[in-house]
Amino acid sequence: MTAERALPRNGRARGRSRPRPDTPVLVRQLRNGIEESVHRGDIVETDASGRLIRAVGDPDRIVTLRSTVNPFGVVALIEAGGIGAFDLEPPEIAIMASSHSGEDFHVRTIQGMFRRAGVSQNFLACGSEGMPLDPLTAARLARDGEKAGPIRHMCSGQHAVSLLLSRLKGWDLETYWQPDHPSQVAYRSAVARAFATTPERLLTAIDGCGVETYAFPLREVAQAYAFLADPGSIAKRDSRSSVAEPLTTVRDAMLASPETVAGRHDRLDTSLMKAAEGRLISKAGMEALRAIAILPGPRSGTLLDAASGLAVKIEDGDGYDRGTWAASVEALRQVGVLDGQGLRMLARYHRPSILDPHGRVGAESVPEFELAPVGELIG
């Protein structure tokens, strides 16, 4: 099934986005008060039922999940008995839900799983271009004349799900990445159930690492992450209940291993999870998408204490990261999850700055939007 001929749940092809001239500005790039550029985008917060809580921009913007899909795909391996079969520990579960930086401890974690499963890392088909993400590791490899292999690719953990599942089931390892491979069929089924749909109704495309990715309205991404935040809260009659228990295992593993989810250096997902310890899971996807699962608990400035999901999309793809950094931190401030010490810990992400050669601030990215309660928008 391709993006061109796939049919979404409303029965209409949606391979192309409609023109969006009214996309709001979320972040402004300022140099001595002079606006040099802007980052437009959309943000939405929902609960696990899909009820809109807050929004700015278009909640129905279609986005490809990219790596934000990873926590849901791990469910396929857990359902098959992979934890017991391969004696998987929480950091290993977390790395299969990650977009890791390719640091040595990430590599050792994946190698440990492969060693116990009897799987060669040579089967990894995710490529290695532009990897590792961690600049310190990349500099060391370059100094030593070592070329990064696929195991240092940010998606090698995701690919490990299919390789371990294939080993467990006796499926061919070399073709695990192909859409019709049984491991990809199982992965697709887990994702579809987490998003309350069926595999045949998924809109698909090819991800940068060579496997399928899936497209959904931004509000459904937020809804899925609200489900990730509190899988046990949904009713037994809900179609998503079949994945609630394994998804709880994934959530708890990610909460326990924030550095495994992203990395130790300059990764906002990890920094957010550390600054709001035990309160959220943050997961970035390429082209400036970030999805955040906010666990139940008190928030500042609001009566809301139930789980919710937050999805942030920067329209221009945000090659410098500054737009998604600033918008994500500001959105979490506005929904009451970050304040005080947490915001101080994240100051460099909240208003990312550019320094000149003498250490002076030359420019900074300033978030400028109101994530308004939906009731106020339509009341």
Side-chain angles (χ1 to χ4, degrees):
M1 185 178 295
T2 65
E4 287 76 14
R5 64 186 179 91
L7 291 179
R9 287 172 291 283
N10 62 13
R12 298 191 302 274
R14 61 184 188 200
R16 294 184 178 180
S17 298
R18 65 185 184 277
R20 304 171 68 251
D22 56 345
T23 305
V25 172
L26 301 182
V27 178
R28 300 182 186 276
Q29 180 73 0
L30 303 179
R31 190 174 295 270
N32 193 30
I34 302 166
E35 182 179 281
E36 291 192 311
S37 60
V38 298
H39 296 286
R40 299 178 182 272
D42 310 279
I43 305 175
V44 59
E45 182 186 20
T46 80
D47 63 17
S49 73
R51 179 180 66 90
L52 284 175
I53 301 172
R54 294 178 178 86
V56 58
D58 182 7
D60 293 311
R61 163 115 190 214
I62 305 298
V63 297
T64 51
L65 294 179
R66 307 298 295 270
S67 293
T68 63
V69 74
N70 293 3
F72 308 103
V74 185
V75 166
L77 179 61
I78 295 175
E79 287 181 322
I83 293 178
F86 303 123
D87 195 24
L88 299 176
E89 297 291 336
E92 295 169 329
I93 297 169
I95 206 162
M96 290 187 287
S98 78
S99 295
H100 64 79
S101 293
E103 298 167 60
D104 289 350
F105 82 97
H106 295 127
V107 170
R108 288 193 297 268
T109 300
I110 297 173
Q111 287 174 334
M113 293 191 298
F114 283 177
R115 188 164 46 248
R116 293 196 303 277
V119 173
S120 171
Q121 69 187 51
N122 293 329
F123 284 113
L124 283 168
C126 50
S128 59
E129 184 177 358
M131 300 295 150
L133 293 181
D134 180 56
L136 296 178
T137 302
R140 193 196 77 233
L141 294 178
R143 181 199 65 199
D144 296 342
E146 181 181 343
K147 183 179 179 181
I151 199 165
R152 292 196 186 270
H153 193 285
M154 61 183 175
C155 297
S156 61
Q158 178 191 13
H159 284 236
V161 172
S162 294
L163 282 170
L164 293 181
L165 185 56
S166 297
R167 172 61 78 197
L168 183 63
K169 294 290 189 177
W171 298 329
D172 181 64
L173 295 175
E174 290 187 359
T175 59
Y176 78 87
W177 55 273
Q178 296 180 0
D180 58 352
H181 190 277
S183 68
Q184 295 299 322
V185 172
Y187 198 101
R188 191 159 53 241
S189 171
V191 172
R193 284 178 286 139
F195 278 79
T197 186
T198 58
E200 60 271 15
R201 303 188 75 182
L202 289 171
L203 180 63
T204 67
I206 299 174
D207 206 341
C209 62
V211 295
E212 282 188 327
T213 188
Y214 313 94
F216 289 93
L218 203 60
R219 70 165 76 206
E220 293 185 29
V221 180
Q223 180 182 359
Y225 269 75
F227 175 39
L228 173 63
D230 192 9
S233 67
I234 64 168
K236 292 294 184 183
R237 64 180 180 276
D238 192 304
S239 63
R240 296 170 293 174
S241 62
S242 67
V243 300
E245 185 174 347
L247 197 59
T248 300
T249 300
V250 176
R251 179 201 66 184
D252 292 347
M254 296 178 77
L255 286 171
S257 305
E259 291 183 341
T260 307
V261 172
R264 290 173 173 163
H265 309 122
D266 214 28
R267 296 297 303 277
L268 179 57
D269 288 334
T270 293
S271 296
L272 285 173
M273 294 172 69
K274 284 185 169 183
E277 185 176 2
R279 288 300 316 278
L280 62 84
I281 290 170
S282 178
K283 186 71 196 66
M286 292 297 288
E287 296 300 324
L289 176 66
R290 174 166 280 103
I292 301 171
I294 302 172
L295 275 66
R299 306 188 191 187
S300 61
T302 176
L303 297 177
L304 180 68
D305 60 3
S308 69
L310 192 66
V312 180
K313 173 65 177 176
I314 298 296
E315 187 173 67
D316 58 31
D318 194 24
Y320 291 99
D321 287 328
R322 63 196 184 203
T324 41
W325 284 359
S328 297
V329 176
E330 175 63 15
L332 285 167
R333 185 194 70 81
Q334 292 192 29
V335 304
V337 177
L338 288 175
D339 61 6
Q341 179 62 19
L343 279 177
R344 287 189 289 273
M345 291 173 63
L346 296 163
R348 69 188 183 91
Y349 297 109
H350 196 188
R351 293 174 70 117
S353 60
I354 297 174
L355 304 181
D356 77 352
H358 309 287
R360 298 174 299 182
V361 173
E364 62 178 352
S365 301
V366 180
E368 188 176 293
F369 60 88
E370 180 183 1
L371 189 55
V374 171
E376 294 180 10
L377 295 176
I378 63 178

